[in-house]
Amino acid sequence: VSSSDGNFDYAAGALFQTSDLFDRGSLNLLALPPASSSSTMNQNTRDISIYGQAGYDFGPFRVQGSLRYSNVRKKADYRRIMGVQAFREIGTVVRNFSAEVENDLWDPSIVLQYRPTSNIMLYASYQHGSKSGGFQGAISNAEAFSFVILPEKAESYE
């Protein structure tokens, strides 16, 4: 981060993160043992993100822009078992699938400011935001056709 006492300022950063998620759920119906089920989802995630922002003052005008790049890689396995002892993971495997997603995300923004007086500021901004894809597996009835969730993107004007 630069000092903010001049006309030009900036900030930059980076992130590297890994995470693991393990989810296990079971439904035990004593009256209907064949309907009892157990499901597990195991997900591994790796995130890399680089960020930069810069601004410059031109007297009463200011221009500020930023850019974030993210690469998110996720792998997941889902398994569901049904039967009398499904809660012990003994029974019939009714679902067993895996998937992998990788998203490259670019998120720019720009802000224009004008200060005609010290008490008034007018501005306009554009921002692009995104969220990586993932999996719908932490539920008891996941299906292969709907397991992968697509990435989301949004634009904002103000």
Side-chain angles (χ1 to χ4, degrees):
V1 176
S2 69
S3 71
S4 59
D5 55 357
N7 287 352
F8 177 72
D9 59 76
Y10 63 88
L15 167 80
F16 177 81
Q17 175 179 302
T18 61
S19 62
D20 294 315
L21 167 70
F22 181 78
D23 183 72
R24 180 169 184 219
S26 63
L27 174 63
N28 298 308
L29 300 173
L30 298 176
L32 301 167
S36 296
S37 69
S38 173
S39 62
T40 58
M41 187 183 99
N42 189 18
Q43 175 180 290
N44 306 104
T45 303
R46 195 260 310 135
D47 296 319
I48 297 173
S49 184
I50 300 169
Y51 173 83
Q53 175 180 309
Y56 193 84
D57 293 324
F58 301 91
F61 295 96
R62 177 170 175 77
V63 176
Q64 182 173 307
S66 69
L67 181 63
R68 176 183 299 273
Y69 166 75
S70 300
N71 176 273
V72 181
R73 185 180 314 155
K74 296 181 180 184
K75 297 177 184 179
D77 302 307
Y78 178 85
R79 182 176 164 167
R80 184 168 39 152
I81 298 171
M82 295 191 73
V84 177
Q85 296 189 40
F87 66 97
R88 292 186 176 148
E89 296 198 26
I90 299 170
T92 304
V93 176
V94 294
R95 300 290 182 272
N96 191 14
F97 47 84
S98 300
E100 183 175 340
V101 296
E102 183 172 359
N103 300 123
D104 288 310
L105 308 167
W106 293 90
D107 296 320
S109 74
I110 188 161
V111 178
L112 306 172
Q113 297 176 346
Y114 172 59
R115 291 186 180 270
T117 72
S118 62
N119 295 327
I120 298 173
M121 180 185 71
L122 305 171
Y123 71 96
S125 72
Y126 165 79
Q127 297 181 15
H128 182 276
S130 59
K131 178 179 160 187
S132 72
F135 305 102
Q136 179 179 293
I139 59 175
S140 64
N141 59 351
E143 297 290 343
F145 72 88
S146 61
F147 187 57
V148 175
I149 298 171
L150 298 176
E152 299 175 22
K153 296 179 181 181
E155 290 183 316
S156 171
Y157 301 90
E158 189 171 358

